[in-house]
Structure formats: C-alpha cells, structure tokens
Amino acid sequence: MNTIEKAKDLQNEIIKIKASGQKVGFVPTMGALHLGHISLVNQAKKDVDIVVVSLFVNPNQFNNPDDLKRYPRTLEKDIEIGRAHVWTPV
C-alpha cells in the first residue's frame, strides 16, 4: 500500500500504472472509513488492477463551516484500516 499526499504525485503514479497496461479504479471518500467504503474497494478490486482511495475532506461539500470543523479526521485510523482490510494485492 502506498500513501500519496500530493495530487501531482498521484497523477504521475497513475500514468506509470496505466503505461504498464494495468487498470486503475478510484474510490473517493472523505475519510472516516467504514464497512461501506471497504465494500466499495473490494468491489473495485474485482474490476481493476489497482484501487486508489482518496481520504480528502472537501470543504466545498459543507455549506456550514461548523459542520466542516466537526467532520471527523481519522487519517491514522483510515490508513490502519487500509492496511488491515482492503489495500493489499488480491
């Protein structure tokens, strides 16, 4: 499992993966992963070679700034879930 923080780095990695002939799937999340997210990743793994999961809390999705402040940010736990459950090669 790789973690990538910058969009440009992700773009470069996806270009390399696609150039090798592999298919890439994308599961967008805002973190705070749960069984629904894991289910989406497991389904994607059936259809593609590499699954990319975003953990981006998008401020544009909140019309109330207080909701954005209260949204859980559980990056370390999300990475742990990824390693334990879904983000290993099938």
Side-chain angles (χ1 to χ4, degrees), residues 3-50:
T3 56
I4 299 172
E5 295 184 21
K6 296 181 182 178
K8 188 64 176 170
D9 293 341
L10 178 59
Q11 290 170 335
N12 291 336
E13 189 65 25
I14 290 172
I15 288 168
K16 287 185 225 173
I17 293 166
K18 287 183 173 183
S20 75
Q22 295 181 295
K23 291 183 182 179
V24 178
F26 181 61
V27 177
T29 81
M30 293 200 318
L33 297 181
H34 52 71
L35 290 177
H37 295 117
I38 293 169
S39 174
L40 291 171
V41 172
N42 287 337
Q43 182 60 46
K45 287 168 64 176
K46 295 176 185 178
D47 299 326
V48 299
D49 302 301
I50 303 292

Side-chain angles (χ1 to χ4, degrees), residues 28-77:
T29 81
M30 293 200 318
L33 297 181
H34 52 71
L35 290 177
H37 295 117
I38 293 169
S39 174
L40 291 171
V41 172
N42 287 337
Q43 182 60 46
K45 287 168 64 176
K46 295 176 185 178
D47 299 326
V48 299
D49 302 301
I50 303 292
V51 178
V52 174
V53 178
S54 69
L55 302 174
F56 175 62
V57 179
N58 184 352
N60 293 323
Q61 290 189 239
F62 296 87
N63 61 2
N64 181 336
D66 290 332
D67 290 343
L68 174 60
K69 288 177 191 172
R70 285 191 298 268
Y71 192 84
R73 288 165 176 82
T74 57
L75 180 60
E76 293 303 318
K77 182 178 177 187

Side-chain angles (χ1 to χ4, degrees), residues 1 74-87:
M1 181 179 96
T74 57
L75 180 60
E76 293 303 318
K77 182 178 177 187
D78 293 339
I79 291 171
E80 186 178 305
I81 288 170
R83 286 193 176 118
H85 295 286
V86 295
W87 300 330

